[in-house]
Amino acid sequence: MTRITLSRALNEGLRRALEADEKVMIMGEDVGRLGGVFRVTDGLQKDFGEHRVVDTPLAESGIVGTAIGLALRGYRPVCEIQFDGFVYPATDQIVSQLAKMRSRSRGQVALPVVIRIPFGGGIGAVEHHSESPEVFFAHTAGLRVVACADPADAFAMIQLAIAAEDPVIFFEPKRRYWDKAEVDMAAPLSDALALDKARVVQPGADVTLLSYGPLVRTCLEAALAAREDGRSVEVIDLRSLSPLDMETIIASVTRTGRCVVAHEAPVYAGLGGEIAARVTERCFYQLEAPVLRVGGFAVPYPPARTEDHYLPDLDRILDAVDQTFTY
Amino acid sequence: MTRITLSRALNEGLRRALEADEKVMIMGEDVGRLGGVFRVTDGLQKDFGEHRVVDTPLAESGIVGTAIGLALRGYRPVCEIQFDGFVYPATDQIVSQLAKMRSRSRGQVALPVVIRIPFGGGIGAVEHHSESPEVFFAHTAGLRVVACADPADAFAMIQLAIAAEDPVIFFEPKRRYWDKAEVDMAAPLSDALALDKARVVQPGADVTLLSYGPLVRTCLEAALAAREDGRSVEVIDLRSLSPLDMETIIASVTRTGRCVVAHEAPVYAGLGGEIAARVTERCFYQLEAPVLRVGGFAVPYPPARTEDHYLPDLDRILDAVDQTFTY
Amino acid sequence: MAIPSRGHHEKEWHVTAETIQLLTPEGERVDHPEYPVDGADIRGMYRDMVLVRRIDSEAIALQRQGELGLWASLLGQEAAQVGSARALSPKDMAFPSYREHGVAWCRGLDPLRLLEMFRGVTHGAWDPEEHKFHLYTVVIGDQTLHATGYAMGIQRDGSEDEAVITYFGDGATSQGDVSEAFAWASVFNAPLVFFCQNNQFAISAPPERQSRAPIYQRASGFGFPGMRVDGNDVLACYAVTRHALRAARDGEGPRLIEAYTYRMGAHTTTDDPTRYRLASELEAWRLRDPIERVRAYLARSGEADGAFFEQVADEADELAGKLRAACLALPDPPPLALFDHVYAERSAVLEAERAQYAAYLAGFEERGDGR
Amino acid sequence: MAIPSRGHHEKEWHVTAETIQLLTPEGERVDHPEYPVDGADIRGMYRDMVLVRRIDSEAIALQRQGELGLWASLLGQEAAQVGSARALSPKDMAFPSYREHGVAWCRGLDPLRLLEMFRGVTHGAWDPEEHKFHLYTVVIGDQTLHATGYAMGIQRDGSEDEAVITYFGDGATSQGDVSEAFAWASVFNAPLVFFCQNNQFAISAPPERQSRAPIYQRASGFGFPGMRVDGNDVLACYAVTRHALRAARDGEGPRLIEAYTYRMGAHTTTDDPTRYRLASELEAWRLRDPIERVRAYLARSGEADGAFFEQVADEADELAGKLRAACLALPDPPPLALFDHVYAERSAVLEAERAQYAAYLAGFEERGDGR
Ligand SMILES: Cc1ncc(C[n+]2csc(CCOP(=O)(O)OP(=O)(O)O)c2C)c(N)n1
Ligand SMILES: Cc1ncc(C[n+]2csc(CCOP(=O)(O)OP(=O)(O)O)c2C)c(N)n1
Ligand SMILES: [Mg+2]
Ligand SMILES: [Mg+2]
């Protein structure tokens, strides 16, 4: 067990993957000598060389498009998109090529490409550096979409994502990069929870609180605060956004009868809607209240000095939890 | 009253807009001499000149990016994206620039740009020509997203979209381009139903059926068939996908107690989830059954010879309607 | 301020100084110091061109008869495709657009695979490595980045006898991805040949709508050589492509070849070119038919006689007949196939949808009112 | 196969033949037939450069003190920005990236607007038409297409005394949108000057990572002229930009100007350049400081004396002081402001969210436990 940051955990996970399989490559803007703007790839170019850890030209479509070509040649590229707001130029290559190539070829082509995206707000950044575009990719068949929430899971998930034969969009909670926790880097990957499974991170009995990425920690804090009001909140870290692990979710809501979903992305047409719809379909007779959603508003991500009002925080999440008891 | 196709209705609407305001422009691939691959812009370059009806280079990001610049200069560009599957290269310009410019400038910049997108399947096309990407834009704050379903509405909606001060993503039901109906081209635009309002196209009492674009007609056929089973289905054409006209929807579901949403886009993380979640929140005590969704599967749009199995049809919609009575 | 008008001028033919030509429209051989044609199997080239043109016309007929949903004709581009494809070594990899039926043929892909795609049975499903011919790419320009990445992989494998060629059109040169591919190939010195078939049209748009400089000149600004070749001259396409591929394999980096040709047919079977081009222009280009000049050369030089031409014609008809029969025999995919191959590993969500739809279909069969 | 190594070589300074220079690092005037500097207000240029450098250093200090969230320094690029911006006529429109503080200054934009953005009070909110200076664009390259469209609008207005200039960096040249802008500007002959500040870095990436050809050469392949100018020479930047803008207004179409300069500071205040550049390289470039050479010239030529330099220095400090005070006085936006200006017309969904959040906030105030 070592106590490290989430950023460092990813770095160690990438290092393991580079060691385990010489076909694994890292590519992106400033991932080499600089080690990435969040230092997630720090030191990797030094140790694995500039042909395996590649500083690319400044073009996201180029990064994903050439990664696809490298994958066709048998490589396993791990692309870094520097910030969430800069993934959009790569949308066409991701949606029309990366996601569709396998089914287009009737399974004759595999594209084991991972696209790492630091996402979400809360770091006081300028525009385009605090987006949560996950639903774009969750809606796109052929992609696996996951989000890590803590160092230990990040360490395992990035390795699982690289080992997967499917393309994986890997979201990293930017503002949690510096969170520290114990990570057992000796634990065999085979012991890790599968990439498509959700995890109950705080068992509870009265209401189910679903989230992923940066808000998992906020939800845990909310559960703690709720306990003081004598309320037992079960917190689930979804981990996989596509596909959703409905079994774990339904099992919980069936018990609690109440459900709240929290994410930073705008509520409107966000992933919360999908979860609410599915939970309601499966638990129609168990639900004591409608599934409530807490998330970003239907506005562009605001300037840093108002982001605290945009981002769901402990109070807004608790407010929603409380509301589920008013029905 | 003249009986014309939906394609022709759009053509007439565009013509009116070009006549009404000399700042209105049309731009896109092959929109000029060819008149567009669906002939929606047929004859317009001949009558309004090649500087107002512009054949552009082959680049969607370029089309939207330069349209933004033209709007900044006071023009009102109407961009045509040749097929749904080719809007993705323009995602960055749409999501990061077109949608955000107004709020970025605190209201000092308006971008009255319309982006026309023929969408949906059912025409036996090759890959990338049958996509339904509407949720990408509905999730993006700052854009208005609408879909027309019949000639008369198309004629009015395209003019309303061009007159709007906000950017509008305008979806056209490709496979309905050749549907004919009576259109009153003399009717003043002021009489038209507002762009952000839904329309009850078939009143009913037992269940509310929500849809938009190509499936509205299918839903009307389903309502007709259902009547034979003695079931009264209310069909609502949503028209506006962002924002949703919740009042019209809630008013209906409050009466019927049952709701089915149908769209061609994959159900998973599609607009149906948002509608289901909102309806359930507002009508929790009125709902006799969960809101059910009928839509595309979580797979890439299949080859033409299996698209009939992918696309929601009358049977699948009726099946969902029936299911709402099993609760 | 003058805005350039698109005009409607007829494209006049000119082998401008910079255009490399080894066989004139009249079938005269022209030698070029840099581009020898030693070992070129001209009879084979003729045969390939005739066969792919026949495949093409059969496919158009099948589409007219409703057996194909669409077809993108290569008529007029046989020399550009056969010449360049024949320059490939078996290990070289090709990344086509959607019109490279001639390249597919030369790589050994069964034309039926192409018909399957345009019939709507598949999205163009074959194993790219089997014939070193990647899947057709419909989204304009996307494949040029895939080719660049693949070439970067060749470099990383340390392989020195492999190169990549990617095909795209004049219209594609405006697409951002293609310029990004140019930049990447230049920066990484990728063993890659960019083969642009300038067939004078992007559906209805002429090349002047994409740039006011000749396409081949685009390369120099990115730091690698570009050249224009007579795209209706199979020998020139062969020799210049072979030269560029060798340079790529030798570590000299990318090249851009602009094959100056002409799309003699419609953009696709749904297109109506009479709306945007003059018949006279088409007529003018018929005189530079890529196959006729080879036939003239072979006949004049005595390298082939009437018997040969007849035999090839018969072979073409036989091939077309077989192909038609095979096309008509193509079964539609079973409904549930649409759930296959989306993921390599299981997706609970997808499996649930599949099961639900399977049960739904079964319901019909029980009730006997199948779909 | 040799894959070019990124290397770690120091960028050596060279006014290569193609680089236009009118003022040497030592402050010597060099005449150039094509680029006269008649009417150039060199004292004014000096003053602008000193003031913007002072604004820049004050902003960096404010960021260090936690008053700004971020700052992108223009240190070293004063000549490229002031020289080019001073060549603009009042009616010309400028489309900046996010580092053009010197251009903003010359256009008359209150520097406080820039601080508001980097403080996180706004996303950079000003009326682009007021000073003919568009909003900062953070997404690399996007603004080049906006500039192209705007220039197309000028053509359609039939205006012959307006042109557009757009700023972008060496890294941006790899982005597809920038190449698309080149293609469009070429095809439509847009009255547009592409001004690329090659400051030798895209964060940590050197220009060799974007292309192996000099940037200015990119233009010719798209059909318009490109030239390289000494970006640390304010006179050259002024004269060459003025020349290009005139050509644009005269209907000669676009130009690409590569201003060869150097980013003397960090990419932004969050960056640590010691990880990727040698101190010696920075030292070498200090000797070509864009301000020093003008000061040397003014002093030697007697066009300015000590008093002038002192007065400008005092003016700079005073400006910085005022700016700091104004910055500290900037109020945070009211919470509900985040719902404003998303749409011109009403959105029921948004209004519902606004009302709900307003009620939520009110709840806190009632309970007295405000946020
Ligand atoms: C990104 C994208 N936009 C638009 C289209 C629609 N489209 C199909 S072919 C074509 C023209 C392509 O012209 P060119 O690149 O010259 O190739 P050619 O068809 O002439 O072989 C267009 C616009 C597309 N397939 N992809
Ligand atoms: C599309 C996009 N990708 C990545 C980034 C992150 N980023 C910000 S600045 C920068 C480097 C830009 O280099 P250059 O174009 O040379 O401009 P400079 O910063 O040197 O002025 C990068 C990669 C971005 N802003 N936009
Ligand atoms: Mg073409
Ligand atoms: Mg730079």
Side-chain angles (χ1 to χ4, degrees):
Chain A
M1 285 291 197
T2 4
R3 196 173 158 71
I4 55 173
T5 63
L6 191 150
S7 159
R8 178 69 196 289
L10 289 166
N11 178 273
E12 291 291 343
L14 289 168
R15 177 175 291 278
R16 298 267 183 306
L18 284 160
E19 283 163 354
D21 182 350
E22 63 174 11
K23 291 296 188 182
V24 172
M25 283 177 61
I26 289 174
M27 49 197 292
E29 296 154 7
D30 309 290
V31 296
R33 197 180 305 154
L34 182 62
V37 293
F38 292 108
R39 307 293 183 261
V40 171
T41 56
D42 192 20
L44 298 178
Q45 187 180 64
K46 198 173 121 297
D47 297 345
F48 297 93
E50 62 183 336
H51 303 324
R52 290 191 66 193
V53 180
V54 183
D55 278 313
T56 67
L58 204 178
E60 288 72 15
S61 192
I63 292 170
V64 176
T66 53
I68 289 170
L70 280 154
L72 290 170
R73 180 71 185 184
Y75 286 84
R76 306 182 81 88
V78 181
C79 305
E80 173 174 297
I81 299 295
Q82 202 162 70
F83 283 91
D84 34 59
F86 309 134
V87 71
Y88 302 119
T91 305
D92 173 58
Q93 285 288 351
I94 296 173
V95 171
S96 296
Q97 301 302 335
L98 184 61
K100 294 183 160 86
M101 197 82 77
R102 180 180 198 86
S103 65
R104 180 180 304 150
S105 71
R106 304 296 298 154
Q108 294 173 99
V109 172
L111 293 180
V113 174
V114 175
I115 299 180
R116 295 181 37 243
I117 307 177
F119 83 124
I123 64 163
V126 294
E127 199 181 2
H128 310 292
H129 292 67
S130 307
E131 309 259 306
S132 297
E134 59 271 19
V135 82
F136 283 52
F137 307 109
H139 184 61
T140 304
L143 302 174
R144 291 183 180 275
V145 183
V146 304
C148 59
D150 62 65
D153 214 16
F155 174 71
M157 285 176 78
I158 188 65
Q159 294 180 73
L160 290 170
I162 295 169
E165 284 305 304
D166 292 311
V168 179
I169 311 297
F170 192 92
F171 284 99
E172 303 172 356
K174 200 184 287 138
R175 65 170 143 147
R176 304 302 186 197
Y177 272 137
W178 303 279
D179 284 11
K180 281 193 167 186
E182 295 292 329
V183 178
D184 177 1
M185 292 191 285
L189 199 55
S190 48
D191 295 0
L193 181 62
L195 207 54
D196 64 349
K197 290 271 168 291
R199 181 207 307 268
V200 176
V201 286
Q202 169 63 56
D206 305 339
V207 51
T208 302
L209 185 49
L210 305 172
S211 193
Y212 54 89
L215 290 189
V216 171
R217 188 176 113 185
T218 314
C219 289
L220 287 169
E221 291 162 1
L224 212 61
R227 193 174 304 158
E228 289 161 20
D229 317 1
R231 217 161 252 162
S232 166
V233 179
E234 176 148 301
V235 181
I236 295 180
D237 175 0
L238 293 172
R239 298 176 78 246
S240 178
L241 311 185
S242 177
L244 280 165
D245 175 7
M246 290 312 296
E247 300 329 306
T248 303
I249 295 169
I250 297 305
S252 174
V253 179
T254 308
R255 270 191 292 103
T256 62
R258 292 183 170 79
C259 180
V260 171
V261 189
H263 54 56
E264 288 188 14
V267 165
Y268 195 82
L271 196 69
E274 182 60 32
I275 296 167
R278 283 178 185 262
V279 167
T280 309
E281 243 183 83
R282 303 268 304 263
C283 306
F284 189 63
Y285 295 114
Q286 290 80 25
L287 281 175
E288 306 285 342
V291 177
L292 297 184
R293 297 173 294 164
V294 191
F297 301 113
V299 307
Y301 197 91
R305 295 254 169 173
T306 34
E307 71 180 336
D308 291 349
H309 284 281
Y310 175 91
L311 291 170
D313 61 3
L314 185 143
D315 290 323
R316 273 174 66 199
I317 291 170
L318 284 180
D319 185 60
V321 166
D322 293 346
Q323 277 181 51
T324 61
F325 288 88
T326 63
Y327 284 77
Chain B
M1 284 290 191
T2 2
R3 196 173 157 70
I4 55 174
T5 63
L6 192 150
S7 161
R8 179 68 197 289
L10 289 165
N11 178 272
E12 291 290 343
L14 290 167
R15 177 175 291 279
R16 298 266 182 309
L18 284 159
E19 283 163 355
D21 182 349
E22 64 174 10
K23 291 296 188 183
V24 172
M25 283 177 62
I26 289 175
M27 50 199 290
E29 297 153 9
D30 310 289
V31 296
R33 196 180 308 153
L34 182 62
V37 293
F38 292 107
R39 306 294 184 260
V40 171
T41 56
D42 191 21
L44 298 178
Q45 187 180 65
K46 197 174 121 297
D47 297 346
F48 296 94
E50 62 183 336
H51 302 324
R52 289 190 68 192
V53 180
V54 183
D55 278 313
T56 67
L58 204 177
E60 288 70 16
S61 192
I63 292 170
V64 176
T66 53
I68 289 171
L70 280 155
L72 289 169
R73 179 70 186 187
Y75 286 83
R76 306 182 80 88
V78 181
C79 305
E80 172 173 298
I81 299 296
Q82 202 162 70
F83 283 91
D84 34 57
F86 309 134
V87 70
Y88 302 119
T91 306
D92 173 58
Q93 286 288 352
I94 296 173
V95 171
S96 295
Q97 302 302 336
L98 185 61
K100 293 183 161 84
M101 196 83 76
R102 180 178 198 88
S103 66
R104 181 182 301 151
S105 71
R106 304 295 298 154
Q108 295 172 97
V109 171
L111 294 179
V113 175
V114 175
I115 299 180
R116 295 180 39 242
I117 307 177
F119 83 124
I123 62 163
V126 294
E127 199 182 2
H128 310 292
H129 292 68
S130 308
E131 309 257 309
S132 297
E134 59 271 18
V135 81
F136 283 53
F137 307 110
H139 185 60
T140 303
L143 303 174
R144 290 183 182 275
V145 183
V146 303
C148 58
D150 60 66
D153 213 16
F155 174 71
M157 285 177 78
I158 188 65
Q159 294 181 72
L160 290 170
I162 294 169
E165 284 306 303
D166 292 312
V168 179
I169 310 298
F170 193 93
F171 284 99
E172 304 172 357
K174 202 185 288 140
R175 65 168 143 149
R176 305 301 186 197
Y177 270 137
W178 303 278
D179 284 11
K180 281 192 166 187
E182 295 291 331
V183 178
D184 176 2
M185 292 191 286
L189 201 55
S190 49
D191 294 358
L193 180 63
L195 207 55
D196 64 349
K197 291 273 171 286
R199 180 208 308 267
V200 176
V201 286
Q202 169 64 56
D206 305 339
V207 51
T208 302
L209 184 49
L210 305 172
S211 194
Y212 54 89
L215 290 188
V216 171
R217 187 176 117 183
T218 315
C219 288
L220 286 169
E221 291 161 3
L224 213 60
R227 192 173 304 156
E228 291 160 21
D229 318 1
R231 222 163 244 164
S232 165
V233 179
E234 176 149 300
V235 180
I236 295 180
D237 175 359
L238 293 172
R239 296 174 80 250
S240 178
L241 312 186
S242 176
L244 280 165
D245 175 7
M246 290 312 296
E247 301 327 307
T248 303
I249 296 169
I250 297 303
S252 174
V253 178
T254 307
R255 273 191 289 102
T256 63
R258 294 183 170 77
C259 181
V260 171
V261 189
H263 53 56
E264 287 188 15
V267 165
Y268 195 82
L271 198 66
E274 181 60 32
I275 295 166
R278 283 179 184 264
V279 167
T280 309
E281 242 184 81
R282 303 268 303 265
C283 306
F284 190 64
Y285 295 113
Q286 289 79 24
L287 281 175
E288 306 287 341
V291 177
L292 297 185
R293 299 174 292 165
V294 192
F297 302 113
V299 308
Y301 196 90
R305 295 254 167 173
T306 34
E307 71 180 335
D308 291 349
H309 284 280
Y310 176 91
L311 292 170
D313 60 3
L314 187 143
D315 291 321
R316 273 174 67 198
I317 290 169
L318 283 180
D319 185 60
V321 166
D322 293 345
Q323 277 181 51
T324 62
F325 288 88
T326 63
Y327 284 78
Chain C
M1 180 170 302
I3 312 179
S5 148
R6 173 196 164 122
H8 195 120
H9 56 78
E10 195 183 316
K11 278 181 209 61
E12 83 300 341
W13 167 264
H14 46 273
V15 181
T16 47
E18 75 272 14
T19 305
I20 300 157
Q21 188 184 68
L22 302 179
L23 190 66
T24 69
E26 297 68 35
E28 310 281 359
R29 279 279 290 108
V30 188
D31 276 324
H32 191 298
E34 275 173 69
Y35 304 108
V37 294
D38 53 291
D41 169 12
I42 305 183
R43 283 163 57 103
M45 292 177 177
Y46 174 83
R47 175 175 170 276
D48 282 344
M49 291 196 290
V50 169
L51 294 186
V52 296
R53 178 171 288 189
R54 188 64 187 82
I55 291 169
D56 192 73
S57 61
E58 194 62 31
I60 292 171
L62 283 164
Q63 195 279 338
R64 297 254 178 281
Q65 293 149 11
E67 295 298 337
L68 298 182
L70 183 82
W71 182 255
S73 171
L74 62 29
L75 189 67
Q77 300 175 226
E78 295 86 354
Q81 295 188 15
V82 169
S84 60
R86 278 180 155 261
L88 296 168
S89 84
K91 294 183 73 177
D92 292 333
M93 184 71 186
F95 284 83
S97 173
Y98 44 79
R99 201 187 291 282
E100 277 66 67
H101 320 315
V103 180
W105 170 259
C106 294
R107 297 307 277 169
L109 185 77
D110 183 341
L112 191 59
R113 297 284 85 74
L114 307 179
L115 268 55
E116 276 174 354
M117 170 175 164
F118 288 100
R119 185 176 172 87
V121 172
T122 70
H123 282 320
W126 53 83
D127 174 357
E129 286 300 325
E130 185 182 355
H131 299 286
K132 287 288 186 175
F133 183 72
H134 188 64
L135 306 173
Y136 270 5
T137 297
V138 170
V139 182
I140 298 299
D142 284 11
Q143 75 280 9
T144 59
L145 280 169
H146 307 159
T148 305
Y150 195 96
M152 290 168 68
I154 290 176
Q155 291 177 298
R156 278 157 181 73
D157 291 346
S159 166
E160 303 194 350
D161 60 353
E162 292 175 82
V164 179
I165 188 167
T166 182
Y167 293 86
F168 54 100
D170 44 294
T173 59
S174 293
Q175 201 59 262
D177 276 14
V178 175
S179 291
E180 291 186 13
F182 287 170
W184 285 65
S186 146
V187 165
F188 294 106
N189 199 46
L192 175 59
V193 174
F194 290 101
F195 194 90
C196 178
Q197 291 172 79
N198 177 356
N199 64 3
Q200 311 304 324
F201 293 100
I203 302 188
S204 69
E208 308 87 84
R209 188 76 341 185
Q210 314 299 340
S211 173
R212 58 183 184 191
I215 290 169
Y216 75 93
Q217 290 179 9
R218 185 70 55 91
S220 69
F222 287 88
F224 59 93
M227 55 225 78
R228 172 180 282 179
V229 55
D230 177 349
N232 286 16
D233 172 353
V234 70
L235 282 184
C237 292
Y238 170 75
V240 172
T241 306
R242 183 174 66 172
H243 185 273
L245 286 165
R246 282 180 182 159
R249 296 191 207 97
D250 294 348
E252 291 173 32
R255 295 273 189 283
L256 168 63
I257 298 172
E258 175 191 7
Y260 198 85
T261 178
Y262 191 81
R263 194 197 76 207
M264 293 172 76
H267 170 67
T268 65
T269 44
T270 60
D271 179 40
D272 171 12
T274 63
R275 285 178 157 255
Y276 55 83
R277 82 169 159 199
L278 301 171
S280 55
E281 179 183 296
L282 183 56
E283 283 319 308
W285 276 87
R286 282 198 206 288
L287 303 177
R288 293 116 208 172
D289 185 281
I291 297 181
E292 279 319 306
R293 69 176 71 178
V294 180
R295 186 189 175 100
Y297 167 78
L298 288 173
R300 187 181 303 102
S301 67
E303 289 177 41
D305 56 12
F308 170 76
F309 297 129
E310 235 167 73
Q311 175 227 316
V312 171
D314 296 345
E315 198 184 344
D317 290 334
E318 188 188 337
L319 172 62
K322 284 219 187 80
L323 195 55
R324 160 174 291 266
C327 176
L328 300 187
L330 283 172
D332 283 354
L336 295 181
L338 64 82
F339 295 97
D340 296 339
H341 306 302
V342 179
Y343 296 99
E345 288 144 43
R346 80 180 275 280
S347 162
V349 166
L350 186 57
E351 283 172 18
E353 286 188 351
R354 184 200 188 100
Q356 200 180 8
Y357 190 63
Y360 169 80
L361 287 181
F364 281 94
E365 275 140 34
E366 278 158 27
R367 294 202 303 285
D369 55 325
R371 288 160 61 98
Chain D
M1 183 170 299
I3 312 178
S5 149
R6 170 193 164 129
H8 194 122
H9 55 77
E10 194 184 314
K11 280 182 206 58
E12 81 301 343
W13 167 264
H14 48 272
V15 182
T16 47
E18 74 271 16
T19 305
I20 300 155
Q21 188 184 68
L22 302 180
L23 191 65
T24 69
E26 297 68 36
E28 309 283 358
R29 279 280 288 107
V30 189
D31 276 322
H32 190 298
E34 278 175 68
Y35 304 109
V37 293
D38 53 291
D41 169 12
I42 304 183
R43 283 163 57 102
M45 291 177 179
Y46 174 84
R47 174 175 171 276
D48 283 344
M49 291 196 289
V50 170
L51 294 186
V52 296
R53 178 172 288 189
R54 187 66 184 83
I55 292 170
D56 191 74
S57 62
E58 194 63 31
I60 293 170
L62 283 163
Q63 195 279 339
R64 298 251 177 282
Q65 293 150 11
E67 296 297 337
L68 299 182
L70 184 82
W71 183 254
S73 172
L74 63 26
L75 189 67
Q77 300 174 226
E78 295 86 356
Q81 295 189 16
V82 169
S84 60
R86 279 180 154 259
L88 295 168
S89 84
K91 294 183 73 178
D92 293 332
M93 184 70 186
F95 284 82
S97 170
Y98 44 78
R99 201 188 290 282
E100 278 67 66
H101 319 315
V103 180
W105 170 259
C106 293
R107 297 307 278 169
L109 184 77
D110 182 341
L112 191 59
R113 298 284 86 74
L114 306 180
L115 295 197
E116 274 173 356
M117 170 174 165
F118 287 100
R119 185 178 172 88
V121 172
T122 69
H123 281 319
W126 55 82
D127 175 357
E129 286 300 325
E130 185 182 355
H131 300 285
K132 286 290 185 175
F133 184 72
H134 188 64
L135 305 172
Y136 270 5
T137 297
V138 171
V139 183
I140 298 299
D142 284 9
Q143 75 280 6
T144 59
L145 280 168
H146 306 159
T148 305
Y150 195 95
M152 289 168 68
I154 289 177
Q155 290 177 299
R156 278 156 181 72
D157 291 347
S159 167
E160 301 195 349
D161 61 352
E162 293 175 82
V164 179
I165 187 168
T166 182
Y167 292 86
F168 55 100
D170 44 296
T173 58
S174 294
Q175 201 61 259
D177 276 13
V178 175
S179 291
E180 291 186 12
F182 286 171
W184 285 64
S186 148
V187 165
F188 294 106
N189 200 45
L192 175 59
V193 174
F194 290 100
F195 195 90
C196 178
Q197 291 172 80
N198 177 356
N199 64 2
Q200 311 304 321
F201 294 99
I203 303 187
S204 69
E208 308 87 85
R209 187 73 348 182
Q210 314 299 340
S211 172
R212 59 184 184 190
I215 290 168
Y216 75 94
Q217 291 179 11
R218 186 72 54 92
S220 69
F222 287 88
F224 57 94
M227 54 226 77
R228 173 182 280 179
V229 52
D230 177 351
N232 285 15
D233 171 352
V234 70
L235 282 183
C237 291
Y238 170 75
V240 172
T241 307
R242 184 174 64 172
H243 185 272
L245 286 165
R246 283 180 180 160
R249 295 191 207 98
D250 294 348
E252 291 173 32
R255 295 273 189 282
L256 167 62
I257 298 173
E258 174 191 8
Y260 199 85
T261 178
Y262 192 80
R263 193 196 78 205
M264 292 172 78
H267 170 67
T268 67
T269 45
T270 59
D271 178 41
D272 171 12
T274 63
R275 284 179 157 253
Y276 55 82
R277 82 169 159 197
L278 301 169
S280 56
E281 180 183 294
L282 182 56
E283 282 320 308
W285 277 86
R286 280 197 207 288
L287 303 176
R288 294 116 208 175
D289 185 281
I291 296 183
E292 278 320 305
R293 71 176 71 177
V294 179
R295 186 189 174 101
Y297 167 78
L298 287 173
R300 187 181 304 101
S301 68
E303 289 177 43
D305 57 11
F308 170 76
F309 297 127
E310 234 165 75
Q311 174 229 313
V312 172
D314 296 345
E315 197 183 347
D317 290 334
E318 191 189 336
L319 171 64
K322 284 219 185 78
L323 194 57
R324 160 175 292 265
C327 176
L328 301 186
L330 284 171
D332 283 354
L336 296 182
L338 64 83
F339 295 96
D340 297 338
H341 307 302
V342 179
Y343 296 99
E345 288 144 41
R346 81 179 276 280
S347 162
V349 166
L350 186 56
E351 283 173 17
E353 285 188 350
R354 184 199 189 102
Q356 198 180 11
Y357 190 62
Y360 168 81
L361 287 180
F364 281 95
E365 274 142 34
E366 279 160 26
R367 292 202 306 284
D369 55 326
R371 286 160 62 99

